[in-house]
Amino acid sequence: MLYFLPTPIGNLEDITKRSLDILSRCDIVICEDTRVSKSLISLLNLKFNLQISPKSFFSLHSHNENEFFDKFDKTQFNEKICVYMSDAGMPCISDPGVSLVKFAWDNGINYEVLPGANAAILSAAASGIINKEFSFLGFLSNIGKNRLLEIENLMKNPYPCVIYESPKRILNLIENLAKFDENRQIFAIKEATKKFETKFKGKICEVLKDLKTANLNGEWCVVVDKSPFCSSEKITTKDIMDLNLPPKQKAKLLSKITGEDPKKIYANLIK
């Protein structure tokens, strides 16, 4: 059996009893970084007086996926207790475990995803900004035009956005957000669930000022309020049909949202 096991994002006590039970019985651990997982298991053994000792560790990351799936004996998923562990938080969320889920599904391998700690959900709940829908963007591109384009797009998003960011780039992120709308509400949290957890909230310009004198060490999660200039409501075909427009213009608009041939739509409109 294959289990996808969430790990604490900071506080060791956030791991579930069920996760500890499965870890204590598992034969194989698959993870992004074996050093991180071995270190976590050592800490869990000390914290909870356990003797977790998997027989084998295998690394699975974005650079070795093909090699891993070519060499790994998939019969082990049925014969042994296998665990995929994220470095921190839920597996497969900004995490290479998603390729293992696809592999399991495509090969008829039984798997189960256990619930657990997640930085994005924690930050969304702690922000006071999100009521219902939001967009989770994970980590943005590190540098260059792609990063600036992604920042521009999130600032135009009709939903609040949740972003992960490293301590090296957090100040750059907030500075770039301020260029688009320094008065937008944001929430930023670092070291979530740890001893030195710190929260910032306010207008982007206010948070930027605070961060310039703050200790930026630790992993960050940022919640940016939705754009006040965009609506989440989508234009429907009925909306276009109700417009007082010539058939040719209607056909062009309908083609944009349906993907159908505008000539065929036009022909139906003038019947």
Side-chain angles (χ1 to χ4, degrees):
M1 182 69 174
L2 171 60
Y3 295 93
F4 289 84
L5 191 145
T7 54
I9 58 176
N11 193 318
L12 287 177
E13 294 184 356
D14 289 334
I15 194 163
T16 65
K17 181 181 183 301
R18 187 175 173 214
S19 292
L20 289 175
D21 288 344
I22 290 173
L23 267 181
S24 296
R25 295 185 289 113
C26 81
D27 304 296
I28 294 172
V29 169
I30 304 167
C31 52
E32 184 173 5
D33 189 329
T34 57
R35 294 167 299 179
V36 172
S37 293
K38 287 177 180 179
S39 175
L40 175 59
I41 287 173
S42 295
L43 290 171
L44 292 172
N45 281 335
L46 286 171
K47 178 75 175 177
F48 300 104
N49 193 26
L50 297 171
Q51 293 183 335
I52 301 169
S53 55
K55 296 180 179 65
S56 306
F57 286 82
F58 294 88
S59 178
L60 171 61
H61 48 75
S62 57
H63 300 294
N64 78 338
E65 288 178 3
N66 292 335
E67 180 184 357
F68 174 87
F69 293 123
D70 285 341
K71 292 184 177 180
F72 190 84
D73 179 6
K74 65 183 180 183
T75 62
Q76 295 183 98
F77 290 123
N78 297 319
E79 297 171 353
K80 298 180 179 180
I81 297 177
C82 302
V83 163
Y84 176 84
M85 293 174 62
S86 65
D87 281 355
M90 280 296 294
C92 313
I93 305 296
S94 290
D95 176 89
V98 66
S99 63
L100 186 54
V101 170
K102 293 176 181 176
F103 179 82
W105 185 265
D106 291 342
N107 288 275
I109 297 165
N110 289 329
Y111 67 92
E112 190 171 349
V113 179
L114 278 63
N118 176 260
I121 297 298
L122 182 151
S123 302
S127 70
I129 290 174
I130 297 170
N131 291 318
K132 190 179 177 184
E133 305 95 340
F134 66 91
S135 294
F136 172 63
L137 305 180
F139 286 98
L140 303 182
S141 299
N142 290 348
I143 56 173
K145 291 181 180 178
N146 285 345
R147 180 176 174 85
L148 293 176
L149 180 61
E150 288 166 7
I151 289 172
E152 181 179 358
N153 287 338
L154 79 86
M155 290 299 283
K156 293 178 180 177
N157 200 308
Y159 300 108
C161 292
V162 179
I163 312 152
Y164 289 159
E165 191 53 280
S166 74
K168 294 180 180 178
R169 290 184 290 274
I170 184 64
L171 199 58
N172 171 271
L173 172 67
I174 308 304
E175 286 172 344
N176 280 300
L177 294 176
K179 292 176 183 177
F180 289 95
D181 182 0
E182 65 176 12
N183 293 313
R184 185 85 56 88
Q185 283 283 312
I186 62 168
F187 170 83
I189 181 171
K190 71 160 193 162
E191 300 277 67
T193 77
K194 295 181 182 179
K195 182 178 180 181
F196 296 107
E197 173 182 300
T198 311
K199 305 180 188 72
F200 301 84
K201 185 178 180 182
K203 295 178 180 179
I204 292 176
C205 58
E206 296 169 342
V207 172
L208 178 59
K209 183 179 178 181
D210 290 340
L211 291 187
K212 285 182 177 178
T213 57
N215 180 342
L216 303 180
N217 292 335
E219 295 301 315
W220 289 79
C221 196
V222 179
V223 180
V224 183
D225 202 0
K226 64 185 179 181
S227 170
F229 309 110
C230 295
S231 172
S232 59
E233 295 182 5
K234 295 181 179 180
I235 296 174
T236 65
T237 54
K238 184 180 182 303
D239 293 330
I240 293 173
M241 292 299 292
D242 290 341
L243 294 173
N244 184 22
L245 292 173
K248 192 168 285 187
Q249 291 183 25
K250 280 187 180 181
K252 288 181 179 179
L253 291 173
L254 288 167
S255 176
K256 290 284 187 184
I257 65 172
T258 65
E260 293 182 44
D261 184 348
K263 291 181 180 179
K264 189 178 289 186
I265 297 173
Y266 176 75
N268 290 329
L269 289 174
I270 61 174
K271 279 183 179 178

